[in-house]
Amino acid sequence: MPAPNQTASALEARIAADPRYVALVRDRQRFSWILTAITVIVYSSFISLIAFDKPSMAQPVGGGTISLAVVLGAAMLVGTVAICAVYVWRANGSYDARLAELLADAGA
């Protein structure tokens, strides 16, 4: 009887070689990189506006005392939470189901 480690390694190798697993990893990585790029662009744009256009960022919004920088900063934080929620929704709805099907077929 093979040792548990050998059995686990054989199962891992079988799953890693499955084209559905390769496609799952590729799809998940692509989606993660897209969300990462969106986040980096938004944060970089915000910092660039602060660095290079201070007068615009200091303008009050709606005639009040809150500046545009505060509004954009809050919107950026809400957007970051939304991006995280989109990833979780996609992972729970698509990636987890595909992985469960793969594991079931592999006998794990």
Side-chain angles (χ1 to χ4, degrees), residues 22-61:
V22 173
L24 171 65
V25 170
R26 183 190 63 238
D27 293 347
R28 191 182 67 202
Q29 285 179 339
R30 183 180 307 132
F31 189 63
S32 295
W33 279 112
I34 289 169
L35 295 180
T36 299
I38 290 169
T39 303
V40 168
I41 289 168
V42 168
Y43 273 81
S44 299
S45 299
F46 181 71
I47 297 300
S48 294
L49 281 171
I50 290 172
F52 300 114
D53 198 6
K54 286 182 180 85
S56 292
M57 294 299 277
Q59 293 297 318
V61 175

Side-chain angles (χ1 to χ4, degrees), residues 57-105:
M57 294 299 277
Q59 293 297 318
V61 175
T65 59
I66 296 177
S67 70
L68 180 61
V70 171
V71 173
L72 290 178
M76 188 173 58
L77 291 173
V78 169
T80 301
V81 171
I83 284 175
C84 182
V86 166
Y87 180 80
V88 168
W89 174 75
R90 177 106 177 236
N92 290 342
S94 174
Y95 303 142
D96 289 351
R98 288 167 64 184
L99 184 59
E101 178 184 333
L102 196 84
L103 291 173
D105 290 349

